Amino acid sequence: MDTSVWLPYVQSYGYVMLFLLLFCGIVGIPAPEESLLFLVGVMIAKEQLLFWPTIASCWGGTMAGMVAAYGAGRWWGVPFVQKYGKYVGITKERWEQAQLWFRRRGKWGILFGCYAPGVRQICPYMAGVSRLPFRTFFWLATVGTAGWVIPLTLAGQLLGRHLHLPLASFPLAGLGLFLLFLLAAWVGQRRRKKSMES
């Protein structure tokens, strides 16, 4: 979603709009997420938003989306998949494999999945389908969403203090930093692989 579409709404409606946009993004309705968090950090640096209310509304919207997706998976997930899964290639065997994977590694997906688009939408749903105890899910989601919301907002705030660019260009800067991070991770992996081979 283009910054020019949602930025005026954030500027007009503030914290309520931040909550709604992040809620929508988590439940699967197209909405900005990483770029939004980065941009609100810039807006904090430019004194257009306050730090703690911004963090609270972004974290609250993300958590509300996680809980809603968990509830949808818990109450409607299995009957929906059993009835319509065969039409999209979800056989009984594939479904059992997906549930087994989630039981083994799904907690890590909830804890760190916010950093991966798609994973952050599917993990709370699968947690509900797999009947992960709500208390365990809630604790993991609380820590995981805070570990996503706060660093991205702080990164935007830091850059907003030191770079004097138009507000609309900051999501591109965030994307550039993310690509640099991926490049550094790839280079590090290649180096480790070469050192293990020699």
Side-chain angles (χ1 to χ4, degrees), residues 1-197:
M1 189 183 292
D2 187 18
T3 308
S4 60
V5 174
W6 54 265
L7 182 58
Y9 290 102
V10 172
Q11 290 171 326
S12 299
Y13 301 105
Y15 308 112
V16 173
M17 187 54 61
L18 294 177
F19 182 97
L20 290 173
L21 285 169
L22 283 158
F23 174 83
C24 290
I26 294 299
V27 297
I29 300 167
E33 292 162 275
E34 282 92 354
S35 59
L36 174 66
L37 291 172
F38 189 82
L39 186 66
V40 297
V42 174
M43 293 173 79
I44 291 168
K46 295 184 179 294
E47 299 181 354
Q48 294 182 7
L49 292 170
L50 298 173
F51 181 79
W52 286 114
T54 300
I55 294 295
S57 59
C58 291
W59 177 83
T62 305
M63 275 302 293
M66 296 279 275
V67 169
Y70 174 90
R74 188 167 185 113
W75 286 291
W76 300 306
V78 174
F80 184 82
V81 169
Q82 287 174 342
K83 190 170 183 178
Y84 300 107
K86 59 187 174 186
Y87 299 113
V88 291
I90 302 175
T91 62
K92 186 178 179 183
E93 293 77 23
R94 286 181 180 173
W95 178 243
E96 286 171 359
Q97 285 175 348
Q99 287 186 302
L100 183 63
W101 176 89
F102 187 83
R103 285 190 191 107
R104 289 181 180 164
R105 296 185 180 89
K107 290 179 182 178
W108 294 107
I110 296 166
L111 198 55
F112 299 108
C114 281
Y115 282 97
V119 174
R120 65 174 162 258
Q121 284 83 11
I122 199 71
C123 271
Y125 177 80
M126 283 300 296
V129 168
S130 300
R131 304 283 180 179
L132 181 72
F134 181 74
R135 185 178 294 178
T136 303
F137 167 78
F138 191 81
W139 168 247
L140 292 168
T142 298
V143 174
T145 55
W148 178 62
V149 167
I150 295 170
L152 284 174
T153 305
L154 287 174
Q157 186 180 12
L158 184 67
L159 247 65
R161 284 183 182 157
H162 297 294
L163 295 177
H164 303 288
L165 297 171
L167 217 51
S169 66
F170 272 94
L172 294 175
L175 178 62
L177 288 173
F178 179 68
L179 292 174
L180 283 173
F181 168 76
L182 290 179
L183 179 64
W186 179 76
V187 168
Q189 184 182 13
R190 298 277 295 177
R191 285 184 180 166
R192 280 192 300 275
K193 207 172 189 181
K194 282 184 181 177
S195 66
M196 290 174 71
E197 290 172 356

